[in-house]
Every structure is written in structure tokens, then in C-alpha cells.
Amino acid sequence: MCKMKILVLNCGSSSLKYQLFDMKGEEVLAKGLVERIGISGSRVKHTKGESSTVHEPDIQDHAQAIKIVLELLTGPDTGVIGDLSEITAVGHRVVHGGEKNTKSVLISQDVVKGIEECIPLAPLHNPANLMGIRAMQEILPGVPNVAAFDTAFHQTMPQEAYIYGVPFEYYEKDKVRRYSFHGTSHQFVSSRAAEILGKSIESIKIITCHLGNGSSLAAVDRGKSVDSSLGMGTSCGILMGTRCGDVDASVLLHLLEQGNSPSELSDILHKKSGLLGISGVSSDLRDVETAAAKGDKRAKLACDILYRSIKKYIAAYAAVMGGVDAIVFTAGIGENSDVTRKAATEGLEFMGVKIDDAKNDGLRGKEAVISADDSKVTVLVIPTNEELVIARDTQRLAK
Ligand code: ADP
């Protein structure tokens, strides 16, 4: 009965992360990352035990990516299960659950409908999540699917954090409000930070910086999210790979008045902005940092805007909470870019933040404290583990 094997799928805008868990001992049997889906240079890194293999098929969409992942999980050399019937349940990271979905749920027709209804709020992610759900329902009929929503952890935000300065009736009638995202990640790294510090989460104030293609910061006050930088949709807050971050509403009105349709406007804000839109080089920070180091001025500007936007949110959230005990960097950029971590915290010495270069430089993808011993605020790098949180929820709900 305890032989539960759970596949967790995390479909990002251009990536797919997967992990197959044996829930007995929460052991990861295999995991992997499909990168650059729909962009040239698609790549799958599949890891079984200690050994990894890299595959470079041309991958057009998420459905194709999932088929390749399932072949790898059952393949003669790369496989960890005899056949697909060994998978007892599938957990899906779903970005937008609106106000209806405040917790993880077993997926039904109704849940799928709810996720569809939220597509206008998360146009890059909910369709990718739905592709994952539909592909699994088709390939493994009868196997339960669970949705874990990115919005759930932030449901503790007070009204002053989630109500916008527009007439209140839009909230009452249409639920126009801040939801914010990456909840499983903020929840996981904040509780892990408390463990590392040896303190109860109920006693400390943490700012979590989830920096990936999509990014958000959260103010986690004694275990509860009290503010977070994404909003009703996924385009606000700090600068992202292709998303604009905070812009004045007048810019949007100007673009509409210039004749852009709402869907063209959505395309501009979600797909053509951010690092890509400013640098003209790429949405991938590695490419932009490389171009900036070679003297590309717009690439450097894009990086500087990114670093500054992170710093502004860190200071704002410290103010909101009346102090901060720990700052956590996580996700692709947070875990890997020492340059970003350094630049985003430089100048925050006035509020007790001091990075130790010897600890930060070159640190990639590993849990570590990177602040100086005499820093009042502890700064940490904690690889996120959204998949484990989702696997636990899936096990609980699929029993
Ligand atoms: P997603 O939001 O799609 O899940 P990830 O969390 O995988 O994104 O983060 C992707 C981002 O992380 C990309 O911008 C990528 O350039 C960045 N990244 C990954 N490794 C590095 C690195 N070594 N240096 C700088 N940026 C990195």
C-alpha cells in the first residue's frame, strides 16, 4: 500500500521540471529539466541516481516534452520504472487558482474549468499547466491528478496588501485583486530558512526572492505571506525574462490608444518585455549577462534594472514587516547568479545586510549562508523544492 510513486510536473513558461518520487522515504527516483521549449536549442537533462544524460531533441510544446519525459522514465538505460502503470498519482503545479482554489485539490472537470477561467490572468502558465494535465489524463486514464496552486500560500495577505487603488466595486464584483504566485516555493524556502537558522518560523521575518524566468518576492512574517510582488496576473513586480514588471498604467493606456488590441498588449507585456525587451538579446539572464560583460549597453541596462528592482522590493518588504531577519535567494537566477545576489543587496548595509564575497562568488545551486558573520540579516541561498511540497499534497489527496 505504501508503494506510492508520484510524478510531479512543473510546467513553466518555457521549461518543464519533473520528478518521480517513491513516497516511501520521499526518495527521488529520477528527475529532470526540459529547457527552452519552443525556443531554438531545446535540451533535456534527465537524472537517474547519480548519473545524468543530456538529450537535445527539437521540442515544440509541453505535450511533446511530457512524452519524451515518460519515454525516459521507462527507457532501457534511463528508466526507473518498468512501465507507466507504476505511477500511482500525478501532481501538477498550477499557477493561478483565483480566489476559489486556496488549497491543493484532486483534479475534476470542475477544477479544469476553474483553471481555464484563470487563463486571462496567467496567459503564459495556465495553458502550459493544462497541457500537462490533459496529456496525463490521456496517457494514464484513471490515475488521479492533483493540482497545487501557486496562489494558495499568499491567501494570508491582508487586504491592504491585495486591494488595488481602483474603485472597490471591481474587487467585490470581479475579484480584481493581488493574488501573487510561486507560493509553494516561498513556503518551502521560508520554512527551510527557519530550520537552518534553528529558529521557529513563527518568531522570524523573512524576505524570499524567487528569481527565475518568472520572479516574485514575498514578505513572510512569522510564517505567513503578508505581501508579494506579483499581482492579479503575472506581469508586475520586478523585471522578468519576458515580462515587464511594474509599469505605470498610463503606459498601457498609451499602447492601447496607439491601436494595439488587448491581446497584442498582452503579448507586449508578457512575451516581448523584460530582459528580452530591454536588451534585445535574450530572455535568459545568462545570455544577457554575457552580452553585458562584452560591453553591450542595452544588455547592461537590462541587468541594472533587474538588480535595482529586486533591491527596491527587499527594502520595501523590510519596511512592511518592521525589520527582516533573513533574506533567501532561490530559483534559477537566485540559486545560480552570484552577480545578481551581490548587486541586488549592495547598498543595503544600512539595514544590516552584508554579503561575504568569498561565500557568494561562484556559488551555484547549493544551500548556503552567503552573508558575512557580522551581518545582522542572514542571507541564504536555498534551492527551491516545489516538487516535494506538491508530491506530499498529491499523496495526501490521492489516497
Ligand atoms: P522558470 O521560471 O521557467 O521555472 P527558472 O527558475 O528555471 O525559470 O530560471 C530560469 C532563469 O535562471 C533564466 O533566466 C536563466 O538564465 C537563469 N539562470 C540559470 N542558471 C544561471 C546562471 N548560472 N547564471 C545566471 N542565470 C542563470
Side-chain angles (χ1 to χ4, degrees):
M1 274 293 103
C2 212
K3 271 195 179 167
M4 265 203 140
K5 287 189 184 139
I6 290 175
L7 177 63
V8 174
L9 297 181
N10 179 353
C11 295
S13 41
S14 64
S15 66
L16 162 63
K17 292 177 190 147
Y18 61 94
Q19 292 195 11
L20 183 68
F21 288 86
D22 185 341
M23 293 312 283
K24 196 177 158 200
E26 295 184 335
E27 186 196 351
V28 177
L29 299 174
K31 64 178 179 178
L33 168 65
V34 187
E35 280 183 297
R36 301 178 77 106
I37 297 171
I39 324 176
S40 64
S42 313
R43 183 173 177 273
V44 188
K45 185 175 174 194
H46 176 80
T47 305
K48 167 188 167 182
E50 296 294 302
S51 68
S52 295
T53 46
V54 173
H55 312 260
E56 292 183 341
D58 188 29
I59 305 177
Q60 296 305 321
D61 57 31
H62 289 77
Q64 196 188 344
I66 288 169
K67 285 197 179 124
I68 290 169
V69 167
L70 294 177
E71 279 164 22
L72 287 167
L73 290 173
T74 49
D77 299 321
T78 53
V80 287
I81 48 174
D83 68 80
L84 295 178
S85 66
E86 287 184 45
I87 298 174
T88 40
V90 183
H92 300 262
R93 172 195 178 210
V94 177
V95 166
H96 212 304
E99 267 201 335
K100 258 195 218 159
N101 295 296
T102 57
K103 287 184 184 143
S104 298
V105 288
L106 204 54
I107 296 176
S108 62
Q109 291 272 54
D110 241 29
V111 172
V112 167
K113 205 165 148 250
I115 299 169
E116 278 170 350
E117 281 166 12
C118 293
I119 287 177
L121 303 173
L124 292 183
H125 287 93
N126 272 27
N129 303 153
L130 281 165
M131 272 194 259
I133 292 166
R134 293 205 173 100
M136 292 316 307
Q137 285 175 332
E138 209 181 293
I139 301 166
L140 298 178
V143 170
N145 287 278
V146 167
F149 297 95
D150 267 30
T151 41
F153 180 60
H154 301 300
Q155 286 298 310
T156 50
M157 287 190 295
Q159 276 207 322
E160 58 267 34
Y162 73 72
I163 293 294
Y164 291 122
V166 296
F168 197 69
E169 68 200 62
Y170 294 110
Y171 169 62
E172 291 179 309
K173 277 201 227 132
D174 309 326
K175 296 289 173 219
V176 168
R177 52 159 286 179
R178 179 191 302 282
Y179 295 92
S180 202
F181 305 90
H182 303 129
T184 44
S185 178
H186 291 292
Q187 186 176 11
F188 179 81
V189 298
S190 56
S191 52
R192 182 70 196 124
E195 270 172 33
I196 294 169
L197 295 175
K199 299 210 166 122
S200 143
I201 185 121
E202 282 84 23
S203 69
I204 54 174
K205 298 166 180 178
I206 307 174
I207 296 170
T208 44
C209 312
H210 178 106
L211 313 175
N213 279 315
S215 302
S216 62
L217 277 80
V220 184
D221 191 352
R222 288 158 286 180
K224 290 195 171 130
S225 172
V226 294
D227 214 334
S228 187
S229 64
L230 288 172
M232 173 157 144
T234 55
S235 64
C236 66
I238 68 160
L239 194 78
M240 291 172 253
T242 60
R243 292 177 242 165
C244 56
D246 294 334
V247 290
D248 180 355
S250 303
V251 176
L252 318 188
L253 293 172
H254 171 78
L255 292 171
L256 282 173
E257 279 160 6
Q258 272 195 332
N260 290 291
S261 68
S263 82
E264 283 165 340
L265 188 58
S266 172
D267 236 38
I268 294 169
L269 302 175
H270 291 100
K271 297 187 179 169
K272 296 180 178 164
S273 295
L275 291 173
L276 175 68
I278 295 168
S279 70
V281 171
S282 170
S283 62
D284 192 301
L285 184 64
R286 282 167 290 201
D287 301 341
V288 185
E289 281 182 346
T290 304
K294 285 186 187 150
D296 185 312
K297 286 208 171 84
R298 271 171 52 192
K300 179 169 184 318
L301 177 63
C303 290
D304 288 344
I305 292 171
L306 169 70
Y307 307 149
R308 187 187 175 97
S309 65
I310 301 167
K311 188 185 297 186
K312 280 165 78 168
Y313 269 95
I314 290 175
Y317 287 167
V320 159
M321 294 192 288
V324 56
D325 299 296
I327 298 170
V328 182
F329 285 98
T330 194
I333 294 171
E335 290 166 29
N336 294 299
S337 176
D338 48 3
V339 177
T340 301
R341 295 189 298 252
K342 165 94 174 156
T345 50
E346 221 161 32
L348 295 182
E349 291 81 5
F350 77 93
M351 50 177 261
V353 179
K354 200 163 138 197
I355 296 280
D356 180 339
D357 290 341
K359 293 179 188 165
N360 181 49
D361 291 355
L363 183 82
R364 299 202 200 296
K366 265 196 243 141
E367 199 171 272
V369 170
I370 56 164
S371 45
D373 294 342
D374 62 345
S375 178
K376 257 176 66 190
V377 178
T378 308
V379 185
L380 305 101
V381 174
I382 301 179
T384 192
N385 200 342
E386 291 159 291
E387 286 78 7
L388 180 59
V389 178
I390 297 169
R392 286 174 182 164
D393 281 2
T394 304
Q395 180 184 31
R396 186 170 44 81
L397 292 163
K399 264 183 185 160

